[in-house]
Amino acid sequence: MPGIREKRVLPYSCEQMFDLVADVGRYKEFLPWVVATRVRSDSGTEMVADMVVGFKSLRESFTSNVRKDRPNLIQVRYVDGPLRDLDNRWSFTPVADGGCEVDFCVDFTFKNRVFEALAGQYFDRAFRKMVAAFEARAEALYGSSNSSAHIVA
């Protein structure tokens, strides 16, 4: 499956966005299709977490290893579940006005070809919805963005 990437400049600090993304235990509170999460272990530099995602009657769980380099990088590597592979990377770079550029990319492949075909049809829309959910969560936690978020070409 081809990957997708999005860059946005947001009015929040790298530390704020890092904390928001690293708080996997709260994903079910704001991310669409996340049914449950469980953090197995967590340190300042590494986390192992399980996530259950679902849509209607479909439910799948997977385990990931999350490498953290505060406040600049979060890298997710697939451990176990319905995927063949997963690469998910968040980078946070400060910008002149005190905000940060968030660079988010994800690439994954299902083991099951039927799931792969279904995901291919909806992946772009789902990805955009997830990015919007992270932005809305940042606004809820850290205050109004005053419409200063923008996509970086």
Side-chain angles (χ1 to χ4, degrees), residues 60-71:
E60 289 291 346
S61 63
F62 62 93
T63 303
S64 296
N65 177 276
V66 181
R67 286 189 9 229
K68 301 182 287 182
D69 181 10
R70 182 177 175 75

Side-chain angles (χ1 to χ4, degrees), residues 14-76:
C14 294
E15 290 82 4
Q16 287 174 313
M17 292 308 298
F18 181 96
D19 289 344
L20 187 155
V21 174
D23 194 4
V24 173
R26 294 195 175 260
Y27 279 11
K28 67 181 177 183
E29 295 176 18
F30 68 95
L31 273 180
W33 310 294
V34 175
V35 176
T37 57
R38 178 178 66 145
V39 176
R40 292 185 187 189
S41 64
D42 193 10
S43 73
T45 59
E46 187 173 22
M47 173 191 314
V48 176
D50 300 323
M51 187 177 303
V52 178
V53 293
F55 181 73
K56 297 188 179 183
S57 64
L58 293 174
R59 296 273 190 272
E60 289 291 346
S61 63
F62 62 93
T63 303
S64 296
N65 177 276
V66 181
R67 286 189 9 229
K68 301 182 287 182
D69 181 10
R70 182 177 175 75
N72 304 105
L73 180 68
I74 295 176
Q75 181 113 21
V76 180

Side-chain angles (χ1 to χ4, degrees), residues 1-152:
M1 164 156 299
I4 192 163
R5 181 177 194 174
E6 181 104 10
K7 285 186 180 185
R8 291 186 182 255
V9 174
L10 299 174
Y12 311 109
S13 71
C14 294
E15 290 82 4
Q16 287 174 313
M17 292 308 298
F18 181 96
D19 289 344
L20 187 155
V21 174
D23 194 4
V24 173
R26 294 195 175 260
Y27 279 11
K28 67 181 177 183
E29 295 176 18
F30 68 95
L31 273 180
W33 310 294
V34 175
V35 176
T37 57
R38 178 178 66 145
V39 176
R40 292 185 187 189
S41 64
D42 193 10
S43 73
T45 59
E46 187 173 22
M47 173 191 314
V48 176
D50 300 323
M51 187 177 303
V52 178
V53 293
F55 181 73
K56 297 188 179 183
S57 64
L58 293 174
R59 296 273 190 272
E60 289 291 346
S61 63
F62 62 93
T63 303
S64 296
N65 177 276
V66 181
R67 286 189 9 229
K68 301 182 287 182
D69 181 10
R70 182 177 175 75
N72 304 105
L73 180 68
I74 295 176
Q75 181 113 21
V76 180
R77 295 282 187 219
Y78 178 72
V79 175
D80 187 39
L83 302 172
R84 185 174 306 133
D85 59 57
L86 167 70
D87 183 25
N88 179 0
R89 184 174 187 267
W90 294 84
S91 66
F92 312 98
T93 306
V95 295
D97 67 359
C100 74
E101 179 182 89
V102 177
D103 184 355
F104 174 54
C105 60
V106 64
D107 186 11
F108 65 91
T109 307
F110 280 99
K111 292 176 186 173
N112 183 312
R113 289 183 186 186
V114 173
F115 283 163
E116 184 75 19
L118 286 171
Q121 293 176 17
Y122 301 104
F123 183 61
D124 185 65
R125 196 172 350 160
F127 177 82
R128 306 263 178 248
K129 192 169 185 172
M130 288 178 59
V131 169
F134 275 103
E135 283 189 49
R137 179 68 170 184
E139 185 172 334
L141 291 175
Y142 308 128
S144 176
S145 67
N146 298 321
S147 300
S148 61
H150 63 276
I151 296 172
V152 178

